[in-house]
Amino acid sequence: MKKYSNIVFLITIFFSISIFIYISYNDYNYLKRGYHIIDNNLLEKQSTMIENKLIEYYSYKDYVLISENSTSLTIEEFKAFLSEHDNVLIAEFSDFGYLFDKYKVNLNNNELYKIRYVHYIKPKEMDKYNIEQIEQRFWRAFNERRLNIFYIPNHEKRDLIIEGIKKRMKNYNKDIPILPKHNKIIPIFSSILSSIYIGTFIPLLSIIYLLSFFFLNGWSYVFLAIIFSFISWIKWKKDKKQNIFKFVLLNILFGILIYGTGYNYLLIYKISVIRGVKLLLIILPFVLFLVQIKKFKLNKKDIIFSTIILLIFGAYYILRSGNFGFSSMYERNIRDFLEKTLIARPRFKEFFAYIFIFTKPPTKFFSIFWNIGQSILFVSILDTFLHFQTQIYLGVLRTLYAFLLSYVIIRFIKYITFISTEVLYGKKHFRI
């Protein structure tokens, strides 16, 4: 059985590397097609009657752009609108864009294939941010979310924004770039191989996953990530050396497999959605908390203290993991700096988790929180690869950067601490 498991694992490694190369090559070709900025002078205002309601939109080349303020459009009216138009542009982060995020879960694939996202910035946001910040935002939309159509409303900053974008991003396209098609075999092969690998641990679970992929597709990606998070954690705890770099690579391998299962047109262009992402972020840490808390004979104060800490941390953790999370202008500037410097910005959750990886708990009781903190690293890496709209190589770079920077920073802190201790004790010769 062990020999069979090793063979499956080697096949998994070879397959993951292969699809990583193939998908990265496709992404490279996508970036070569460039981006397009909508010429506002060519937008023609149109209207149509649907179910006794006047719907306003714009025609642009061979597309129609739904007005960013069309928030009174119901799901039934929107479906009726789609039945009359084939190439529909929706402004991401517009008022209607947020409404569409709710509507798209009720659309069938034929309707979803008619839709394409456009990156948009509201005029009030153009007032709030400087040119460089706005330029970085459009760079991020193109390079991290595969949005290659930009809609910049009329504003006194518009010309300067376009000038800044064209200086930063050289591959401007006068025409709207056509989106490339994608290999439909990769998701099937990736899911089957994932199922076979899971079967080397729990055969029944592999069958359940495969059924979820074919019949509950929207939930299958998170379900697979949760399974991999538990496999990775169990392996980590059983490994005597606990070489963290080896487990970072293992989770990247799992992440590439997950990405392969979701490598389809609707997901990589963010038109469709996956379900239950928050479950991945909380299930492993929560299960670890429940399992560990039973091992300690705690009094009421300990239980209340640990529960309060977990709830506060959990609420902050979930809030910062979603699109509705908050961030200060200072943090935005740090993110922009990291993106410009490293191309792929490491995730802050992983920086936080590495504190628990590279340090030891002060007491046995605090090992509860240290294990939970360590588990965040594993789920965060897998969560990175659930962002199918982001190029796969950026996910790998982001994960490796987080490891390398965390390792260097923590080693530096330990070095400074050691030197400070030597100085305090008055030693003349330092042992490095």
Side-chain angles (χ1 to χ4, degrees):
M1 183 65 182
K2 187 176 181 181
K3 185 177 180 181
Y4 169 74
S5 299
N6 291 337
I7 292 172
V8 171
F9 185 63
L10 288 174
I11 293 172
T12 303
I13 293 174
F14 175 78
F15 179 78
S16 296
I17 293 173
S18 299
I19 63 172
F20 173 79
I21 294 171
Y22 175 82
I23 293 174
S24 296
Y25 176 73
N26 277 0
D27 288 339
Y28 171 74
N29 285 333
Y30 159 79
L31 292 172
K32 281 175 59 179
R33 298 187 182 203
Y35 63 93
H36 176 78
I37 300 174
I38 288 177
D39 184 347
N40 293 356
N41 294 323
L42 298 180
L43 287 172
E44 296 183 11
K45 198 167 187 177
Q46 307 282 342
S47 62
T48 184
M49 290 294 295
I50 295 179
E51 298 183 6
N52 297 321
K53 180 185 284 188
L54 185 68
I55 307 299
E56 293 185 346
Y57 62 95
Y58 301 96
S59 63
Y60 183 77
K61 298 182 181 290
D62 297 326
Y63 294 81
V64 295
L65 172 65
I66 294 182
S67 173
E68 57 270 30
N69 299 317
S70 299
T71 53
S72 63
L73 198 64
T74 66
I75 180 63
E76 291 78 17
E77 292 163 350
F78 180 57
K79 289 170 76 73
F81 182 84
L82 288 177
S83 67
E84 297 181 3
H85 301 88
D86 290 330
N87 299 312
V88 179
L89 301 178
I90 292 178
E92 182 191 39
F93 301 138
S94 67
D95 292 339
F96 181 76
Y98 286 115
L99 187 63
F100 173 68
D101 286 339
K102 299 177 182 178
Y103 285 174
K104 62 185 176 184
V105 297
N106 299 309
L107 302 178
N108 59 45
N109 283 354
N110 290 332
E111 292 166 330
L112 290 172
Y113 274 112
K114 294 182 175 184
I115 295 165
R116 190 165 168 182
Y117 268 121
V118 173
H119 188 59
Y120 168 75
I121 182 168
K122 294 180 178 180
K124 64 180 181 181
E125 290 178 317
M126 296 168 76
D127 293 330
K128 182 179 179 181
Y129 301 117
N130 61 43
I131 302 297
E132 190 176 359
Q133 289 171 323
I134 296 171
E135 167 204 317
Q136 183 66 19
R137 173 171 162 169
F138 281 92
W139 178 93
R140 187 183 304 120
F142 178 59
N143 287 275
E144 288 196 6
R145 297 202 307 283
R146 292 191 177 92
L147 298 181
N148 55 10
I149 309 175
F150 300 161
Y151 176 30
I152 305 171
N154 292 325
H155 190 277
E156 60 183 12
K157 291 183 180 179
R158 187 176 189 274
D159 292 339
L160 292 174
I161 292 169
I162 293 174
E163 182 182 347
I165 290 172
K166 288 183 177 180
K167 282 183 179 179
R168 174 81 186 277
M169 302 161 60
K170 302 300 182 183
N171 45 353
Y172 173 71
N173 193 330
K174 293 182 179 180
D175 298 316
I176 294 179
I178 299 173
L179 297 180
K181 302 298 180 183
H182 295 89
N183 194 323
K184 297 180 180 180
I185 301 298
I186 286 180
I188 296 174
F189 276 13
S190 298
S191 60
I192 291 173
L193 185 57
S194 298
S195 178
I196 293 172
Y197 179 78
I198 295 168
T200 63
F201 296 91
I202 307 174
L204 179 60
L205 199 57
S206 71
I207 296 171
I208 294 173
Y209 160 66
L210 210 55
L211 290 173
S212 73
F213 176 78
F214 287 105
F215 298 104
L216 292 171
N217 188 260
W219 292 91
S220 67
Y221 312 108
V222 170
F223 182 46
L224 179 60
I226 291 171
I227 295 171
F228 280 152
S229 70
F230 277 89
I231 291 175
S232 183
W233 178 259
I234 292 169
K235 282 178 169 288
W236 163 255
K237 281 302 177 182
K238 285 184 176 180
D239 189 81
K240 293 180 180 180
K241 295 182 179 180
Q242 288 195 331
N243 182 332
I244 185 57
F245 185 61
K246 181 177 76 174
F247 282 90
V248 168
L249 293 179
L250 177 66
N251 278 274
I252 288 175
L253 176 74
F254 289 159
I256 292 172
L257 271 181
I258 294 168
Y259 196 97
T261 66
Y263 189 65
N264 66 68
Y265 180 91
L266 295 179
L267 286 178
I268 67 173
Y269 295 118
K270 202 186 169 186
I271 301 167
S272 188
V273 295
I274 62 173
R275 306 293 186 89
V277 174
K278 295 295 184 291
L279 292 176
L280 167 65
L281 299 174
I282 64 174
I283 283 185
L284 177 59
F286 183 68
V287 169
L288 288 177
F289 176 75
L290 293 180
V291 170
Q292 291 176 105
I293 207 75
K294 291 181 180 179
K295 295 181 181 179
F296 291 89
K297 293 181 179 179
L298 304 176
N299 56 41
K300 289 184 179 179
K301 289 184 180 179
D302 289 333
I303 294 173
I304 292 172
F305 170 75
S306 59
T307 303
I308 290 173
I309 292 295
L310 188 67
L311 288 174
I312 293 173
F313 165 74
Y316 180 78
Y317 172 58
I318 293 299
L319 281 172
R320 293 308 307 271
S321 300
N323 292 330
F324 50 85
F326 52 89
S327 59
S328 65
M329 187 63 71
Y330 176 72
E331 184 177 337
R332 287 178 183 271
N333 290 333
I334 292 176
R335 290 181 177 186
D336 288 349
F337 170 77
L338 289 172
E339 283 175 351
K340 289 179 179 178
T341 307
L342 303 175
I343 301 177
R345 174 181 59 82
R347 306 188 79 178
F348 288 158
K349 287 196 294 295
E350 291 172 32
F351 278 127
F352 174 76
Y354 277 116
I355 296 173
F356 300 95
I357 293 288
F358 291 120
T359 60
K360 294 181 179 180
T363 65
K364 188 177 180 180
F365 172 72
F366 277 91
S367 64
I368 295 175
F369 301 103
W370 251 249
N371 282 327
I372 291 172
Q374 290 175 0
S375 71
I376 290 171
L377 175 65
F378 299 100
V379 297
S380 180
I381 293 174
L382 296 174
D383 177 52
T384 294
F385 291 91
L386 283 173
H387 292 72
F388 298 111
Q389 70 273 15
T390 301
Q391 282 91 332
I392 194 170
Y393 79 92
L394 290 177
V396 174
L397 273 181
R398 180 170 286 154
T399 303
L400 292 176
Y401 279 147
F403 167 76
L404 291 172
L405 291 175
S406 298
Y407 179 80
V408 170
I409 291 169
I410 291 173
R411 290 289 294 179
F412 177 75
I413 292 172
K414 287 183 176 180
Y415 175 83
I416 294 299
T417 303
F418 173 78
I419 295 295
S420 301
T421 303
E422 293 284 295
V423 171
L424 287 173
Y425 281 93
K427 294 185 179 181
K428 295 181 180 180
H429 301 286
F430 301 148
R431 176 172 47 84
I432 307 301

